Amino acid sequence: MRMIGLEEIEKMALGAALLGTGGGGDPYIGKLMAKQAIEKYGPVKLISYNELDDDDLVVPSAMMGAPSVMVEKIPSGDEAIAAFKELEKNLGKKITATMPIEAGGVNSLIPIALAATLGLPIVDSDGMGRAFPELQMVTFFLDGINASPMVLTDEKKNATLVNAIDGVYAEKIARSVTMVSGGSVLDAIYPMTGKNVKESAIHDTLTLEEEIGNILLSDSNVIESLKNKLNGYVLFSGKIIDINRATDGGFVKGKANFEGIDEFNNQSASVEFQNENLICYVNDLPKAITPDLITVLDKETGMPITTEGLQFGMRIVILGMPADAKWRTQKAIDTVGPRYFGYDLDYKTIESLNGGNENV
Amino acid sequence: MRMIGLEEIEKMALGAALLGTGGGGDPYIGKLMAKQAIEKYGPVKLISYNELDDDDLVVPSAMMGAPSVMVEKIPSGDEAIAAFKELEKNLGKKITATMPIEAGGVNSLIPIALAATLGLPIVDSDGMGRAFPELQMVTFFLDGINASPMVLTDEKKNATLVNAIDGVYAEKIARSVTMVSGGSVLDAIYPMTGKNVKESAIHDTLTLEEEIGNILLSDSNVIESLKNKLNGYVLFSGKIIDINRATDGGFVKGKANFEGIDEFNNQSASVEFQNENLICYVNDLPKAITPDLITVLDKETGMPITTEGLQFGMRIVILGMPADAKWRTQKAIDTVGPRYFGYDLDYKTIESLNGGNENV
């Protein structure tokens, strides 16, 4: 257990943006909410999964919807309080702690804001170890933990409690409620026991984000240090020559093309994204495929660039990283692999796609 | 209090189709469900509003969604049981009785099926005295009774409890959940006290439907008897010469044109509809406007014809009837008047539009 405050949040926001692999929402909003809550209510208790009792009730929290909408209507703490109260009433039990559902710009930090507001500790774990766009795309779903009962609240004070039969229906129903609630809602979702957290979550995510933030803020050899920290691969180094991007039902879909510089001179690369970066090709060969992580970094500073932030001419490095082993089972690949997202391609591990050759 | 069984249901289905004013869903499905439930569980207790205690908990029930979908997936009793249990759990109180929310083909009879399945009495009242397409279009909404908490259940066993701030948001959220739940759901909605029912509902609706059914089945002068029973106006008599009909988001919108016969020879009429018949013009002058009731009847038998059942060449009579006085306040006209449905027309009562001249 340790207390986290404004300094840790600053670093975690940077790490979350990197693990967000281009998506996961704008860290600025999450940071703003977390900072406001901590200034008002004081620092938050960060606990490790192994500090939980097996029968504790842990409820992950997140924002659902379009980040561009969240900027316009940043949630007050009221939605969080309403959502957690409704869930406690439904379950007839006190909630022990909250937790992020994903590692990504907004949703790593929203639970910190909630923890501060609600006076709850936050668990240093999450359900993805990266960002993904849909509610069933969590390790909890892979382990058969139900997303329901879940509660969605909005800033107008509408509250919807969903008892869906599984994570896929939870996603469908929650997404539709989000749309009519003005485009974004706060979720209290996947209520689970301490034992569930220990067995099913991906651990030490917030601490990892903080360590990434440390590297980004103070390391003199940023890219190399990130690569080592994350067992990553520098897949490409170049500049952006073309971006196709369209918004479709709250999702940002598209492709970015790059031409090589330095050691990648005369080579080409492209990244396919749907909110998150999903496939990276170098010279038309896949070099990293979802669920493995693909992040585009500013070549000089190492700072992560979101899919919405990609701009013509930027000089970048593409970093690929292996996903957690939980994402490499058949059920996981069915849930978040390239075919789920509509690409005609089989998943191969980033290690096998870059076998022996680390590309640097 | 009296018991109702198969014979009463047969008649009520006919009356409900007439008060459904062209919409309200296919009476066949409602009848089928009510009959199945009564055959399995026995007759249902029909009680008058004045038999309720002021602090009884009454929960109206209805199907929401496209009638064409309901035919494909007729609800078992399980959805009803799940919905009522979830609502009792949320409210911490036993439900005393159910009630129709509207008078219309499906939704007059669904609550009878539920009452049989759940072993509850049904109140002889409703929230419209006719059919309307949206959840806020009830006298309860006019009187400030909240639609929430409401529960929506589907045949896959998804259950969603909505705590919306008002009936308009309840409608938006419920409609979106309906769409992702395969197009139709069962609603337990507008939970209210016995006192609320006494003050806000429209009374004796099921008995009126039964009396209309009696006339349709056994009267020798059907149209004249219906007109007298319902303080109605025979607005037109003719045959259908043209129908424009389109389905838009689960709503059937369009217009039917008629040419006169008999005493209306050389005259013309048209009916604008959106699920329900909303405006009737005779010789291009409005003769009945929503919320007043407009029903198209078979000229020979008096049987009501739904907007989906209108066919070229049919010989018909258009019957107009005054809406309940609750539908004639400013708030009511804002909620269900012609401008709400997009028509550039002010509401005038059917009495004033047919002043002195009963058109027969």
Side-chain angles (χ1 to χ4, degrees):
Chain A
M1 193 279 283
R2 61 186 172 111
M3 303 306 287
I4 54 173
L6 301 184
E7 196 187 319
E8 288 84 359
I9 286 172
E10 202 64 57
K11 292 174 183 171
M12 285 173 179
L14 287 172
L18 189 144
L19 296 180
T21 62
D26 186 342
Y28 176 76
I29 307 159
K31 212 162 72 177
L32 197 70
M33 280 187 64
K35 284 184 159 183
Q36 282 177 350
I38 282 185
E39 274 160 12
K40 187 163 174 191
Y41 300 101
V44 166
K45 196 186 284 186
L46 180 72
I47 61 173
S48 168
Y49 67 96
N50 55 33
E51 294 175 71
L52 290 168
D53 287 336
D54 278 357
D55 61 352
D56 278 348
L57 174 58
V58 179
V59 177
S61 48
M63 291 290 292
M64 185 165 193
S68 55
V69 172
M70 292 172 206
V71 182
E72 302 295 324
K73 50 172 206 170
I74 293 178
S76 72
D78 294 348
E79 295 96 321
I81 294 168
F84 274 60
K85 276 201 176 149
E86 181 83 19
L87 206 50
E88 283 187 337
K89 180 180 170 187
N90 186 269
L91 294 168
K93 199 176 165 186
K94 277 274 172 205
I95 294 170
T96 318
T98 188
M99 188 168 83
I101 194 170
E102 69 177 337
V106 170
N107 278 335
S108 281
L109 301 170
I110 291 276
I112 299 178
L114 265 61
T117 306
L118 298 163
L120 291 176
I122 180 168
V123 185
D124 190 5
S125 301
D126 83 310
M128 299 186 194
R130 51 164 295 159
F132 275 126
E134 296 179 2
L135 293 178
Q136 77 281 12
M137 296 176 169
V138 285
T139 51
F140 320 136
F141 174 78
L142 302 180
D143 290 335
I145 298 169
N146 199 331
S148 297
M150 64 181 286
V151 176
L152 315 172
T153 52
D154 68 25
E155 86 292 353
K156 294 184 202 70
K157 301 196 187 304
N158 294 300
T160 302
L161 184 140
V162 180
N163 255 310
I165 45 173
D166 63 24
V168 175
Y169 270 96
E171 162 66 27
K172 284 189 194 178
I173 294 173
R175 188 73 53 189
S176 74
V177 172
T178 302
M179 292 298 166
V180 295
S181 290
S184 80
V185 297
L186 189 114
D187 301 359
I189 185 170
Y190 283 101
M192 65 183 85
T193 64
K195 189 160 186 284
N196 290 150
V197 175
K198 293 174 195 177
E199 292 172 355
S200 186
I202 292 176
H203 298 309
D204 308 321
T205 314
L206 291 163
T207 296
L208 176 61
E209 288 169 358
E210 192 182 354
E211 290 167 356
I212 294 169
N214 256 330
I215 292 172
L216 285 168
L217 289 176
S218 55
D219 202 283
S220 58
N221 196 354
V222 176
I223 305 283
E224 188 66 16
S225 296
L226 289 173
K227 178 166 106 59
N228 293 336
K229 177 80 205 165
L230 298 162
N231 302 311
Y233 298 80
V234 173
L235 301 174
F236 198 71
S237 176
K239 58 184 182 182
I240 306 176
I241 54 169
D242 186 33
I243 314 151
N244 285 305
R245 195 163 33 202
T247 302
D248 173 13
F251 292 92
V252 181
K253 298 186 181 179
K255 186 179 177 181
N257 292 313
F258 307 87
E259 77 179 19
I261 49 177
D262 301 342
E263 68 273 32
F264 289 89
N265 207 3
N266 292 323
Q267 300 189 47
S268 68
S270 63
V271 170
E272 302 262 11
F273 53 83
Q274 295 185 25
N275 283 15
E276 282 74 35
N277 302 316
L278 296 176
I279 306 174
C280 173
Y281 293 92
V282 176
N283 303 323
D284 297 324
L285 294 174
K287 287 290 176 180
I289 302 173
T290 176
D292 289 332
L293 287 71
I294 300 159
T295 293
V296 180
L297 304 173
D298 180 285
K299 190 172 164 62
E300 299 313 315
T301 63
M303 289 294 172
I305 305 168
T306 63
T307 53
E308 295 184 272
L310 294 173
Q311 284 174 36
F312 182 84
M314 280 179 167
R315 289 170 175 256
I316 57 88
V317 164
I318 306 176
L319 188 67
M321 298 150 272
D324 191 280
K326 288 177 193 284
W327 285 124
R328 292 178 163 188
T329 65
Q330 189 57 50
K331 184 174 180 187
I333 300 305
D334 291 346
T335 306
V336 296
R339 293 194 183 278
Y340 180 86
F341 290 100
Y343 303 105
D344 186 18
L345 188 72
D346 286 321
Y347 172 69
K348 292 203 175 66
T349 65
I350 191 169
E351 296 91 326
S352 69
L353 292 172
N354 298 273
N357 172 17
E358 290 197 8
N359 277 334
V360 283
Chain B
M1 193 278 285
R2 61 186 173 109
M3 303 305 288
I4 54 173
L6 302 184
E7 195 187 320
E8 288 84 0
I9 286 171
E10 202 65 56
K11 292 174 182 169
M12 285 172 181
L14 288 172
L18 189 145
L19 295 179
T21 61
D26 186 343
Y28 176 76
I29 307 159
K31 213 162 72 177
L32 198 69
M33 279 188 63
K35 283 185 160 183
Q36 281 177 350
I38 282 185
E39 274 161 11
K40 188 163 172 190
Y41 299 101
V44 166
K45 197 185 285 187
L46 180 72
I47 61 174
S48 168
Y49 67 96
N50 55 32
E51 294 174 71
L52 290 168
D53 287 335
D54 278 357
D55 62 352
D56 279 347
L57 174 58
V58 179
V59 177
S61 49
M63 291 291 292
M64 184 165 192
S68 56
V69 172
M70 292 173 205
V71 182
E72 301 296 322
K73 49 171 206 171
I74 292 178
S76 71
D78 293 348
E79 294 96 323
I81 294 169
F84 274 61
K85 276 202 176 149
E86 181 82 20
L87 207 50
E88 284 186 336
K89 180 179 170 187
N90 186 268
L91 294 168
K93 198 175 167 187
K94 278 273 173 205
I95 295 169
T96 318
T98 189
M99 189 168 83
I101 193 169
E102 68 177 336
V106 170
N107 278 335
S108 281
L109 301 170
I110 291 276
I112 300 177
L114 264 60
T117 306
L118 297 163
L120 291 176
I122 181 168
V123 185
D124 190 5
S125 301
D126 82 310
M128 300 186 194
R130 49 164 295 159
F132 275 126
E134 297 179 1
L135 293 178
Q136 77 280 12
M137 297 175 168
V138 286
T139 52
F140 319 137
F141 174 78
L142 302 180
D143 289 334
I145 299 170
N146 199 330
S148 297
M150 65 181 286
V151 176
L152 315 172
T153 52
D154 69 24
E155 86 291 352
K156 293 184 203 72
K157 300 196 187 303
N158 293 302
T160 302
L161 183 142
V162 179
N163 254 309
I165 45 173
D166 63 23
V168 175
Y169 270 96
E171 162 66 26
K172 283 188 193 179
I173 294 174
R175 188 73 54 188
S176 74
V177 172
T178 302
M179 292 299 165
V180 295
S181 290
S184 80
V185 298
L186 190 115
D187 301 359
I189 186 170
Y190 284 100
M192 66 182 86
T193 64
K195 189 161 186 284
N196 290 150
V197 175
K198 292 174 195 177
E199 291 172 356
S200 186
I202 292 176
H203 299 307
D204 307 321
T205 314
L206 290 163
T207 296
L208 175 62
E209 287 169 359
E210 191 182 355
E211 290 167 357
I212 293 169
N214 256 331
I215 292 172
L216 285 167
L217 289 175
S218 55
D219 203 282
S220 59
N221 196 354
V222 176
I223 305 283
E224 188 66 17
S225 298
L226 289 173
K227 178 168 106 54
N228 292 336
K229 177 81 203 164
L230 299 161
N231 302 311
Y233 299 80
V234 172
L235 302 174
F236 198 71
S237 175
K239 57 184 182 181
I240 305 177
I241 55 168
D242 186 32
I243 314 153
N244 284 306
R245 195 163 32 203
T247 302
D248 173 12
F251 292 92
V252 180
K253 298 186 179 180
K255 186 179 178 181
N257 292 313
F258 307 86
E259 78 179 18
I261 50 178
D262 299 342
E263 68 273 33
F264 289 90
N265 208 3
N266 292 323
Q267 301 189 45
S268 68
S270 64
V271 171
E272 301 263 11
F273 53 83
Q274 297 185 25
N275 282 15
E276 284 74 35
N277 302 318
L278 295 176
I279 306 174
C280 175
Y281 293 90
V282 176
N283 303 325
D284 296 324
L285 294 174
K287 287 290 176 180
I289 303 174
T290 177
D292 289 332
L293 287 72
I294 301 159
T295 293
V296 180
L297 304 172
D298 181 285
K299 190 172 164 62
E300 297 313 315
T301 63
M303 289 293 172
I305 305 168
T306 63
T307 53
E308 295 184 274
L310 294 173
Q311 283 173 38
F312 181 84
M314 281 180 166
R315 288 170 175 254
I316 56 88
V317 163
I318 305 176
L319 189 67
M321 296 151 273
D324 189 280
K326 289 177 193 283
W327 284 124
R328 292 178 164 188
T329 66
Q330 189 56 50
K331 185 174 179 185
I333 299 305
D334 291 344
T335 306
V336 297
R339 294 195 182 276
Y340 180 87
F341 290 100
Y343 303 106
D344 186 19
L345 188 72
D346 286 322
Y347 172 69
K348 292 203 175 68
T349 64
I350 191 168
E351 296 91 327
S352 69
L353 291 172
N354 298 274
N357 171 17
E358 290 196 7
N359 277 333
V360 282

